[in-house]
Amino acid sequence: MALELAHENIWFDKWRADDAERQFYENKAQPAIGSPCVRQPCTGRPVGVVSKGGSGLGSLVSQIAKARQEIQNSLVSGGHSGSAGGSGASSDVLNRITKLEGENKNLSSTVSSLEQTILTLTKRLEMLECDDKTTTAPTSASPKKPVPMETEDDDDDDDVDLFGSDDEDDEAAARVREERIKAYAEKKAKKPGPIAKSSVLLDCKPWDDETDMFVMETEVRKIVMDGLVWGAAKLVPLAYGIQKLSILCTVEDEKVSIDDLSEKIQEIENYVQSVDIAAFNKV
């Protein structure tokens, strides 16, 4: 668009010519200073102006000449400005075109280098694949195992009785088998089974409220028996400020008797009045 406008003549300053022409006609319609007015017979409005000594006509001619000169000047300046604008637009377009051409060249060179790189990589991959095929071809085929050929000795071995069929051999084999069965039974009988255990909660009652319950617990825990393990203990109130000692223990049924344990606790006569079994559970 800018190139097309550069080759055309456009009157950019036409408004100046219009202003000059309008001013010319306005000055023409106004009467000269100092000239008498000629009025219409009916309305009394001025119809013409007569200047003294021809000064009004000279000023009018000078104004017309001045307006023409301004019109010509405006045309000349408009032509120069249009050509200057067209030349600026054309130079801008040319700069952009040269810039685009340079970028196009750079892109084409980059694409060509990438294509060359891809071709070289493809060739290398093909060569590597060929090398892998050549190296794996001999190992892929497993060697055939030699098949042993049958000989005449094999037929002779079929006739030999490896286990023996005599009566003496049968008796010896039966004796060995019985001995092994007997040894297995003895070993199985000696193998220990699961140990039976019980969890017992005992209530130890004191004589009165003045009994030291902490000392009672210490004396009860001093009882040691094979298969006895003492657990947690707590004081449970009974009545009138008297408390009882509830103590938990775990015993092995084959080694510890609960009756024997209760008797040993009751032997602590200074602190324990009686012992009751509050809970009994198999573990």
Side-chain angles (χ1 to χ4, degrees):
M1 186 66 184
L3 292 175
E4 292 178 359
L5 294 176
H7 296 289
E8 294 182 1
N9 293 325
I10 300 174
W11 191 3
F12 292 99
D13 295 337
K14 183 177 180 300
W15 60 274
R16 293 183 181 180
D18 293 339
D19 290 342
E21 186 176 1
R22 179 175 54 76
Q23 188 176 5
F24 168 73
Y25 284 110
E26 287 178 356
N27 293 331
K28 184 178 179 182
Q30 293 177 0
I33 299 173
S35 60
C37 294
V38 180
R39 298 181 179 277
Q40 294 181 359
C42 296
T43 60
R45 294 177 181 177
V47 294
V49 178
V50 179
S51 62
K52 292 182 179 181
S55 61
L57 183 60
S59 64
L60 182 62
V61 172
S62 63
Q63 289 178 3
I64 292 171
K66 186 177 179 182
R68 288 180 179 177
Q69 186 65 32
E70 289 180 356
I71 291 170
Q72 290 179 0
N73 292 334
S74 64
L75 290 174
V76 172
S77 62
H80 287 300
S81 62
S83 63
S87 63
S90 63
S91 62
D92 188 12
V93 172
L94 290 174
N95 291 331
R96 291 183 180 180
I97 290 171
T98 52
K99 186 177 180 181
L100 289 173
E101 288 179 353
E103 292 178 354
N104 190 13
K105 289 180 181 179
N106 293 331
L107 288 174
S108 61
S109 62
T110 305
V111 170
S112 62
S113 63
L114 288 174
E115 290 178 352
Q116 187 66 28
T117 305
I118 290 169
L119 289 175
T120 54
L121 290 174
T122 305
K123 291 180 180 179
R124 289 182 180 179
L125 287 174
E126 291 178 353
M127 293 174 65
L128 290 173
E129 288 178 356
C130 293
D131 294 339
D132 292 338
K133 289 180 180 179
T134 54
T135 54
T136 56
T139 58
S140 60
S142 58
K144 295 182 179 180
K145 295 182 180 180
V147 178
M149 297 180 66
E150 295 181 356
T151 58
E152 295 180 355
D153 295 338
D154 296 336
D155 296 334
D156 297 337
D157 293 338
D158 294 337
D159 297 336
V160 178
D161 189 2
L162 298 176
F163 297 99
S165 57
D166 298 337
D167 295 337
E168 295 178 357
D169 295 337
D170 294 340
E171 292 177 358
R175 188 168 52 256
V176 171
R177 184 168 61 252
E178 290 176 358
E179 290 177 357
R180 289 179 178 178
I181 292 172
K182 185 178 180 180
Y184 176 74
E186 291 177 356
K187 185 177 180 181
K188 189 175 181 181
K190 292 179 180 179
K191 186 177 181 180
I195 299 173
K197 294 182 179 181
S198 300
S199 177
V200 184
L201 181 63
L202 300 175
D203 288 342
C204 303
K205 297 177 181 179
W207 291 100
D208 52 19
D209 57 347
E210 295 180 357
T211 303
D212 192 347
M213 302 303 294
F214 295 101
V215 177
M216 178 193 289
E217 181 181 353
T218 304
E219 294 296 328
V220 170
R221 290 184 181 275
K222 287 181 179 180
I223 298 173
V224 178
M225 298 176 68
D226 187 14
L228 172 64
V229 179
W230 293 107
K234 66 178 181 178
L235 298 177
V236 179
L238 288 174
Y240 304 106
I242 300 174
Q243 295 179 339
K244 66 179 180 179
L245 176 65
S246 294
I247 187 166
L248 186 67
C249 64
T250 303
V251 297
E252 295 183 10
D253 296 340
E254 294 182 357
K255 296 181 179 180
V256 179
S257 173
I258 301 300
D259 296 335
D260 297 340
L261 180 60
S262 299
E263 290 178 359
K264 286 188 177 183
I265 294 173
Q266 288 180 356
E267 290 177 357
I268 309 172
E269 296 177 353
N270 295 330
Y271 298 97
V272 180
Q273 178 189 4
S274 62
V275 178
D276 296 329
I277 299 174
F280 189 93
N281 297 316
K282 290 289 185 182
V283 179

